[in-house]
Amino acid sequence: MGTRVILVRHGESSFNVERRVQGHLDQSLLTDRGIADAQRVGEALKGLAFDALYCSPLQRAQQTMQRIWDRLSNGMPSPSPETLDNLIEIGLPRWEGMLFSEVKQQFPVLYRQWHQAPHELKMEVKQGSEVATVYPVQAVFRQAAQVWEDLLPRHRHQTVLLVGHSGINRALLCTALGLAPDRYQMLQQANCNISVLNFPDGTLASAQLEALNLTSHLDLPVPKPRPGYGALRLLLVRHGETDWNRQGRFQGQRDIPLNENGKRQGRQAAAFLKGLPLDFAVSSPMQRPKLTAELILAHHPQISLALNDRLCEISHGTWEGRLEAEIEEAYPGELERWRTQPEQVQMPAGENLQQVWDRTVAAWDEIVQEALAQRDQQAMPTGMVVAHDAVNKVILCHTVGASAAKFWNFKQGNGAVSVIDFAADGRPTLQAMNITTHLDGGILDQTAAGAL
């Protein structure tokens, strides 16, 4: 067993409601809704055994942790929460206490930089008689790196809960995934969301994002759009389970159909997405994603499914149809290289990751640009793309600006849903990732580990 970290943002606060910058200020408290949502987080986490619980020193996070702990301690013995100073929110000293609308009006250049080049944002602040220059985003990334440096060696092979804030949580996620401060705005953190990080060998080198920004425990299937990212929403879905997924057999471009559980997962995804508007849908033409898409579209009969062969799964060549042990016997060491250096592996008689990357990104960018060009300025169109493990991971890497070397940092379960929103200029934000709560009710991905 590796190390698992559950990351939660505090509940709705009075400053959140007022749309006021909080930062290090400790004046805002949870609203009634924030308290109720924190209790719901506790209920959602009740089945997990935690070895340690850590919380920001600020009141809004402390209140959230207390409500979560009340629920956890009712279910099974749970350690008492500890305060961790480095979980404090990002400091924005010149803006704290101001309304965001005031910040936008009074600091238009800095506000635009905050959204488009956050790593370059700097503020001149008085420190006694001196004036100092601070880079808030760079500072919170150093803070997050220190959290991992302290935490991971102390909690090897354990499960840990961290309750923090939007800014520090994003920095924790980015530093775990090896993303630089310029990617700070790429990952969303809603109030009382749940994100899951795995560290199989207990170090940052093995980090995997299992789930991002889950909100279904709050009766919100997918998070609401962030301000400024309401031009387009794409739902990215992985196909349901096949027998080869269950067996751990590499399928690649073998056209293996869904098994009965895979069809059930497709119907569960359909029920989960039933209440969301859909304006268009695109799928890989292979049987397993196509049927998954058709099951979902049963609740959206007005939508015609478009097929795009550039979204087909990676070709594993002569690996296809084989189990891992058979691949290791025929190609010693190559499977381990695929797990650790995927961008360097050429599948025998198949594709390499760069080839998959090129065709997938070309298809994805075309879908995005066409949707943005055709959108009604008064509405946010929503599209659905249904594809495969490798294809979806490439899209996720591309979305957050990660290289192909980060391919394994993102988990994609059978029947999972991810959400990517776009600003009018095409800038993306990963709103939620690998939602599988509709499949088994829990926050952890219980789908078949399965080969690609």
Side-chain angles (χ1 to χ4, degrees):
M1 171 187 168
T3 302
R4 172 175 285 140
V5 176
I6 307 294
L7 198 58
V8 175
R9 183 188 174 194
H10 66 77
E12 180 188 80
S13 71
S14 52
F15 273 31
N16 289 146
V17 173
E18 296 167 7
R19 293 288 300 148
R20 196 177 292 278
V21 180
Q22 302 186 102
H24 284 181
L25 287 185
D26 204 14
Q27 299 170 7
S28 69
L29 299 173
L30 294 192
T31 63
D32 289 344
R33 176 181 174 180
I35 291 170
D37 285 350
Q39 291 168 341
R40 290 180 172 188
V41 173
E43 290 294 332
L45 299 178
K46 216 169 183 178
L48 298 179
F50 288 97
D51 299 286
L53 293 81
Y54 294 101
C55 183
S56 158
L58 299 178
Q59 291 184 83
R60 55 195 185 270
Q62 294 275 337
Q63 286 181 291
T64 302
M65 175 62 92
Q66 184 60 51
R67 297 313 191 282
I68 294 172
W69 188 57
D70 288 345
R71 290 296 190 271
L72 292 179
S73 55
N74 284 338
M76 62 178 66
S78 181
S80 298
E82 300 178 47
T83 296
L84 191 62
D85 288 343
N86 274 332
L87 288 178
I88 196 170
E89 179 59 306
I90 185 174
L92 295 165
R94 291 195 66 184
W95 297 352
E96 289 172 3
M98 296 178 65
L99 296 173
F100 278 98
S101 58
E102 294 172 337
V103 172
K104 186 176 182 180
Q105 182 178 26
Q106 296 180 34
F107 303 94
V109 175
L110 291 182
Y111 186 78
R112 185 166 56 252
Q113 193 174 49
W114 165 247
H115 285 284
Q116 298 183 10
H119 59 300
E120 296 177 359
L121 178 69
K122 65 179 179 179
M123 297 180 173
E124 307 294 331
V125 295
K126 284 189 176 181
Q127 294 182 350
S129 60
E130 302 292 325
V131 175
T133 301
V134 296
Y135 289 82
V137 174
Q138 294 184 31
V140 80
F141 268 63
R142 290 192 295 272
Q143 182 182 317
Q146 189 62 53
V147 170
W148 295 128
E149 186 176 331
D150 295 341
L151 207 70
L152 291 177
R154 195 187 316 162
H155 295 291
R156 290 181 69 86
H157 309 300
Q158 294 185 347
T159 299
V160 180
L161 172 65
L162 304 181
V163 177
H165 309 263
S166 176
I168 181 60
N169 285 13
R170 288 187 206 175
L172 286 166
L173 290 159
C174 285
T175 50
L177 300 172
L179 301 177
D182 64 328
R183 303 300 170 183
Y184 173 79
Q185 295 286 10
M186 296 289 187
L187 304 174
Q188 170 65 318
Q189 287 287 280
N191 289 117
C192 273
N193 84 87
I194 298 172
S195 298
V196 183
L197 280 164
N198 297 319
F199 303 88
D201 68 3
T203 72
L204 284 180
S206 66
Q208 177 204 57
L209 183 59
E210 177 174 323
L212 173 74
N213 209 30
L214 302 180
T215 57
S216 53
H217 55 288
L218 308 176
D219 295 330
L220 192 62
V222 298
K224 295 177 181 178
R226 288 172 61 188
Y229 290 88
L232 171 66
R233 166 163 287 183
L234 289 180
L235 307 174
L236 180 64
V237 181
R238 185 187 175 196
H239 64 76
E241 182 184 284
T242 69
D243 284 341
W244 282 21
N245 286 142
R246 177 56 55 184
Q247 296 163 12
R249 194 178 296 277
F250 278 68
Q251 47 193 4
Q253 293 190 358
R254 298 280 188 94
D255 205 5
I256 309 303
L258 299 182
N259 60 20
E260 288 306 311
N261 188 46
K263 294 174 185 175
R264 182 177 67 88
Q265 291 171 333
R267 291 190 292 270
Q268 289 172 319
F272 180 66
L273 299 174
K274 181 179 179 180
L276 299 182
L278 267 187
D279 298 289
F280 63 92
V282 184
S283 172
S284 157
M286 301 182 74
Q287 290 185 76
R288 50 196 188 268
K290 183 172 179 287
L291 180 54
T292 302
E294 289 169 346
L295 289 168
I296 294 171
L297 291 179
H299 296 298
H300 304 270
Q302 77 283 7
I303 304 298
S304 297
L305 180 63
L307 302 178
N308 191 321
D309 58 10
R310 290 176 293 178
L311 297 176
C312 285
E313 182 58 299
I314 183 173
S315 170
H316 284 300
T318 56
W319 288 17
E320 292 179 1
R322 301 191 189 197
L323 300 171
E324 290 186 353
E326 296 169 335
I327 293 171
E328 179 59 30
E329 182 178 0
Y331 304 94
E334 282 299 284
L335 197 57
E336 179 62 20
R337 207 156 68 91
W338 171 238
R339 293 185 184 121
T340 57
Q341 298 174 302
E343 76 284 6
Q344 297 185 20
V345 174
Q346 172 65 55
M347 298 293 171
E351 290 181 292
N352 59 46
L353 195 51
Q354 188 61 53
Q355 290 171 309
V356 181
W357 186 287
D358 290 345
R359 62 175 169 82
T360 297
V361 168
W364 178 260
D365 285 349
E366 185 177 285
I367 291 167
V368 170
Q369 293 307 316
E370 286 183 0
L372 287 173
Q374 296 173 11
R375 74 186 181 97
D376 181 342
Q377 298 296 318
Q378 304 304 313
M380 180 183 187
T382 299
M384 179 178 70
V385 175
V386 185
H388 308 261
D389 189 6
V391 168
N392 286 13
K393 285 175 177 171
V394 164
I395 290 169
L396 293 167
C397 286
H398 175 60
T399 295
V400 302
S403 69
K406 302 294 183 182
F407 178 77
W408 293 111
N409 285 155
F410 301 93
K411 190 171 185 183
Q412 286 290 279
N414 292 117
V417 177
S418 300
V419 184
I420 301 168
D421 288 348
F422 294 84
D425 61 5
R427 281 179 295 117
T429 184
L430 186 54
Q431 190 77 345
M433 194 213 75
N434 204 41
I435 304 170
T436 59
T437 51
H438 53 288
L439 304 178
D440 55 35
I443 66 163
L444 301 181
D445 183 347
Q446 303 293 336
T447 62
L452 294 169

